[in-house]
């Protein structure tokens, strides 16, 4: 154990070694001397003396010399020290022979640049504010208050709550009376030809003239609202038969939907739950009808509903479709149409529609080239907006896609949909002759696309030899009994031309195109 240094002494509180003549311990902050600690406590308990600094000669100013014109600058001025006489120093003017100087106080702290003056009792000095004087050279006339009529009623009574309410009611009546004869054209116009309306909660919404009669949803508060059909000024014109009947061409709402596609598959895809596997979304769909108009693209579900307004629960799909078309023919709001879920996409958003399956290449495919909507099916992505939480996709067969692309071109002027994907935009076929009857056989190409289309009815039109490519029609096979009575044995049958096995090479055609001239002539 090391011995203590003669220049250090232990702290009385914590015992740490502290340098001799130190005021406090470096470890715990305790005083090393008890007398110093008691004097420090006494100084802290008593009030601190007031110290006045003496201003050097030549810098004394009076209260009237202070410039108060710059009150608007919010700048603080340096305080000015004044000599305050004690009561014993007040004398009559005749008795004052010489100015009395204050006694010099005893120094209680560190030396300062000037002497300090102590006062036995505090003296309060009240300085009255000077009256505002007009600035020199300011000849502008002051605004005079308009004299108020003397009604004999006290001002507090005249401005009471009931009196102010009566005045406000009277002013509102006058405003209504002045604006009673004015014509209201219905909404504020925008430079772009739009219309400003307000939702039920007062949010400002801009719509277009083509949106009249439709039901929308406020982009801010999500409150539903209906765009007014006609301003009040057109009511008289409608009664006279001179106004339009709701559309520019006078057509009904059902006629406005020029293209109507039935039973397409609608997929609502959550990207976080998507499985990149072939046919993973093939069975997760809702059957919908898609209708094209100049204003909107309507996607309506005809599924059964439970109850409520416009309930169609228990009815057949064809009946719901007929009721929907009849409802639209009455120019009513589409949001209240008698169907299941309805999705509306504005015409200016329709150009966002794009084909996502198949894709030009696997690198450009958002599904990495995997046919998640079904092998050999075509899928398009619908426009995205703030109302849709997840993206919407429509999947369809090849013939349904032809109708969809034709509607996009006729109604919205969008051409070339799917041209760069290698999809045929019309049926392609190869015509051969039967080896037995010389009848033409119209064999469809791209047969895998037609097999994935539920609206297409295919029928076997003939058989082809895998070796020499000789073809036999179904009528010729029956006539020559090739492969037996049923076509099941055609694969093992010998080719009448080369003698090899025919193999399972079936030729398909549309059911309405399977016509054998030899059979037609014989019957």
């Amino acid at each position: 154990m090391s011995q203590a240094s003669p220049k250090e002494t232990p702290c009385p509180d914590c015992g740490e070694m502290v340098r001799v003549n130190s005021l406090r311990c470096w470890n715990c902050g305790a005083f090393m001397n008890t007398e110093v600690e008691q004097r420090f406590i006494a100084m802290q308990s008593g009030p601190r003396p007031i110290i006045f600094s003496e201003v050097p000669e030549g810098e004394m100013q009076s209260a009237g010399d202070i410039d108060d014109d710059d009150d608007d600058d919010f700048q603080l001025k340096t305080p000015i020290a004044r000599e305050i006489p004690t009561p014993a120093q007040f004398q009559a003017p005749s008795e004052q022979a010489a100015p009395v100087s204050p006694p010099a106080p005893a120094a209680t702290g560190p030396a300062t640049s000037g002497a300090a003056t102590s006062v036995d009792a505090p003296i309060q000095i009240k300085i009255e504010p000077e009256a505002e004087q007009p600035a020199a050279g300011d000849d502008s006339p002051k605004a005079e208050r308009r004299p108020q009529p003397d009604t004999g009623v006290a001002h507090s009574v005249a401005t009471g709550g009931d009196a102010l309410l009566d005045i406000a009611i009277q002013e509102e009546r006058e405003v209504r009376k002045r604006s009673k004869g004015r014509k209201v054209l219905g909404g504020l116009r925008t430079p772009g030809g739009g219309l400003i309306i307000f939702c039920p909660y007062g949010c400002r919404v801009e719509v277009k003239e083509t949106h009249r009669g439709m039901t929308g949803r406020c982009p801010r508060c999500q409150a539903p609202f209906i765009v007014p059909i006609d301003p009040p000024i057109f009511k008289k014109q409608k009664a006279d038969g001179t106004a339009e009947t709701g559309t520019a061409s006078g057509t009904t709402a059902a006629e406005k939907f020029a293209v109507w596609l039935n039973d397409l598959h609608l997929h609502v895809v959550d990207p976080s739950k998507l499985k990149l596997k072939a046919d993973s979304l093939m069975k997760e769909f809702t059957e919908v009808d898609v209708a094209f108009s100049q204003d909107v693209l309507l996607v309506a579900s005809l599924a059964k509903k439970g109850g409520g307004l416009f309930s169609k629960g228990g009815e057949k799909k064809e009946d719901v479709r007929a009721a929907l078309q009849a409802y639209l023919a009455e120019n009513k709001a589409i949001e209240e149409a008698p169907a299941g879920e309805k999705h509306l996409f504005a015409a200016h958003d329709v150009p966002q529609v794009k084909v996502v399956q198949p894709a030009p290449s696997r690198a450009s495919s958002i599904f990495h080239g995997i046919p998640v909507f079904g092998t050999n099916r075509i899928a398009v992505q619908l426009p995205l907006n703030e109302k849709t939480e997840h993206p919407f996709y429509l999947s369809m067969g090849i013939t349904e896609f032809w109708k969809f692309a034709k509607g996009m071109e006729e109604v919205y002027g969008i051409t070339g949909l799917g041209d760069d994907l290698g999809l045929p935009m019309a049926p392609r076929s190869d015509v051969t002759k039967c080896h037995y009857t010389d009848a033409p056989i119209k064999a469809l190409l791209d047969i895998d696309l037609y097999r994935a289309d539920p609206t297409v009815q295919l029928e076997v039109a003939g058989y082809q030899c895998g070796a020499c490519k000789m073809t036999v029609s179904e009528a010729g096979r029956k006539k020559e009994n090739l492969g037996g009575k049923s076509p099941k044995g055609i694969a093992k049958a010998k080719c009448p031309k080369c003698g090899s096995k025919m193999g399972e090479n079936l030729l398909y055609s549309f059911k309405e195109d399977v016509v054998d001239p030899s059979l037609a002539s014989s019957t």
Side-chain angles (χ1 to χ4, degrees):
M1 182 175 180
S2 61
Q3 297 180 356
S5 176
K7 296 183 180 180
E8 294 180 350
T9 179
C11 173
D13 287 357
C14 64
E16 288 289 340
M17 302 305 296
V18 183
R19 186 177 299 177
V20 178
N21 297 329
S22 296
L23 182 63
R24 289 191 173 187
C25 175
W26 64 268
N27 183 36
C28 63
F31 284 93
M32 299 297 295
N33 193 336
T34 57
E35 296 181 0
V36 175
E37 182 179 5
Q38 293 176 1
R39 292 184 61 184
F40 176 78
I41 296 174
M43 290 174 59
Q44 292 293 107
S45 60
R48 295 185 180 181
I50 301 175
I51 300 175
F52 295 92
S53 301
E54 184 176 352
V55 180
E57 295 181 1
E59 297 184 6
M60 296 291 295
Q61 296 183 2
S62 61
D65 297 334
I66 300 175
D67 189 8
D68 295 337
D69 295 336
D70 298 331
D71 292 340
D72 295 337
D73 295 339
F74 296 99
Q75 295 181 358
L76 299 178
K77 298 181 181 297
T78 305
I80 301 174
R82 299 183 178 90
E83 293 185 359
I84 303 175
T86 60
Q89 295 173 346
F90 282 98
Q91 298 180 5
S94 59
E95 299 177 357
Q96 293 181 357
V100 180
S101 60
T108 58
T112 58
S113 59
T117 303
S118 62
V119 182
D120 297 334
I123 300 175
Q124 298 180 356
I125 299 177
K126 182 177 182 182
I127 301 176
E128 297 292 339
E130 298 181 359
E132 295 183 359
Q133 300 295 334
D138 188 7
D139 300 334
S140 59
K142 298 294 183 179
E144 298 181 358
R145 296 183 62 184
R146 185 172 59 182
Q148 300 294 333
D150 188 8
T151 58
V153 183
H155 178 72
S156 60
V157 178
T159 58
D162 295 340
L164 294 178
L165 179 60
D166 296 339
I167 295 173
I169 294 175
Q170 183 65 23
E171 291 180 355
E172 185 177 358
R173 289 177 180 175
E174 292 179 0
V175 172
R176 290 181 179 178
K177 186 177 180 180
R178 288 194 300 267
S179 61
K180 186 175 182 180
R182 298 180 183 177
K183 294 181 179 180
V184 181
L185 298 180
L188 302 176
R189 301 287 177 175
T190 61
L195 189 69
I196 297 296
I197 62 173
F198 297 90
C199 79
Y201 293 94
C203 299
R204 186 185 179 99
V205 183
E206 181 179 357
V207 297
K208 295 185 178 181
E209 284 289 340
T210 56
H211 295 158
R212 289 190 178 274
M214 299 182 184
T215 302
R217 192 172 295 276
C218 178
R220 293 186 179 181
C221 63
Q222 303 298 320
F225 62 88
I226 299 177
V227 182
I229 297 179
D230 287 326
I233 193 173
F234 291 112
K235 291 183 178 179
K236 186 176 182 301
Q237 297 179 357
K238 278 189 174 183
D240 298 337
T242 58
E244 297 179 354
T245 59
T247 61
S249 60
T251 57
T252 61
E255 293 174 350
K256 289 196 305 182
F257 292 100
V259 179
W260 194 289
L261 304 181
N262 300 337
D263 301 334
L264 299 186
H265 293 182
L266 176 65
H267 307 264
V268 182
V269 180
D270 185 357
S272 62
K273 300 180 180 179
L274 175 63
K275 296 180 180 180
L276 288 178
K277 184 179 179 181
D279 304 338
S280 61
L281 299 176
M282 186 174 181
K283 297 182 180 180
E284 298 179 4
F285 67 89
T286 302
E287 280 193 347
V288 294
D289 283 5
V290 180
F292 299 78
S293 75
Q294 295 290 342
D295 302 331
V296 295
L297 173 66
L298 171 63
V299 179
S301 170
L302 305 182
K304 298 179 181 179
K305 299 178 64 178
L309 187 63
F310 300 115
S311 174
K312 296 297 174 184
E315 296 188 10
K316 295 182 179 180
K317 182 170 55 178
E318 292 76 12
D319 298 337
V320 179
R321 181 180 294 119
L324 174 61
Q325 295 178 356
Y327 177 87
L328 295 177
E330 298 177 1
N331 260 336
K332 295 182 179 179
I334 304 179
E335 290 287 344
E336 302 297 334
E341 293 184 358
K342 296 169 287 295
H343 306 283
L344 299 177
F345 302 93
H348 57 81
D349 293 333
V350 172
Q352 299 181 20
V353 174
K354 61 180 180 180
V355 181
V356 295
Q357 179 182 315
S361 63
R362 186 173 181 179
S364 61
S365 173
I366 60 177
F367 301 106
H368 300 280
I370 302 175
V372 294
F373 298 100
T375 306
N376 295 317
R377 288 183 62 84
I378 295 91
V380 298
Q381 182 176 349
L382 295 177
L384 298 174
N385 51 43
E386 64 277 0
K387 299 179 183 178
T388 57
E389 181 181 1
H390 302 301
F392 288 178
Y393 299 92
L394 287 175
S395 68
M396 60 201 79
I398 184 63
T399 59
E400 296 170 320
F401 177 71
W402 293 341
K403 299 177 183 178
F404 187 89
K406 184 178 180 181
M408 295 285 288
E409 181 177 358
E410 292 179 354
V411 181
Y412 306 109
I414 301 175
T415 60
L417 188 65
D419 286 351
D420 57 340
L421 304 176
L423 294 174
M425 299 309 294
R428 300 186 303 176
S429 59
D430 187 12
V431 180
T432 60
K433 289 185 178 182
C434 177
H435 177 74
Y436 294 114
T437 63
D438 288 336
I441 302 175
K442 189 177 181 180
L444 287 173
L445 303 178
D446 311 306
I447 193 63
D448 293 333
L449 293 174
Y450 298 111
R451 285 176 175 174
D453 193 336
T455 63
V456 175
Q457 295 183 358
L458 298 176
E459 188 170 334
V460 178
Y463 309 90
Q464 187 178 44
C465 176
C468 63
K469 306 301 180 184
M470 183 272 308
T471 57
V472 177
S473 64
E474 175 63 18
R477 187 201 66 80
K478 290 181 180 179
K479 182 178 180 182
E480 299 296 333
N481 199 18
L482 183 64
K485 295 183 179 180
S486 65
K488 294 181 179 180
I490 191 67
K492 297 180 180 180
K494 291 184 179 182
C495 175
K497 184 177 180 180
C498 64
S500 303
K501 291 184 178 181
M502 291 285 294
E504 295 184 358
N505 302 306
L506 306 181
L507 303 178
Y508 291 92
S509 294
F510 295 125
K511 189 174 183 178
E512 59 272 12
D513 294 339
V514 180
V515 177
D516 196 324
S518 62
L519 281 178
S521 60
S522 63
T523 56

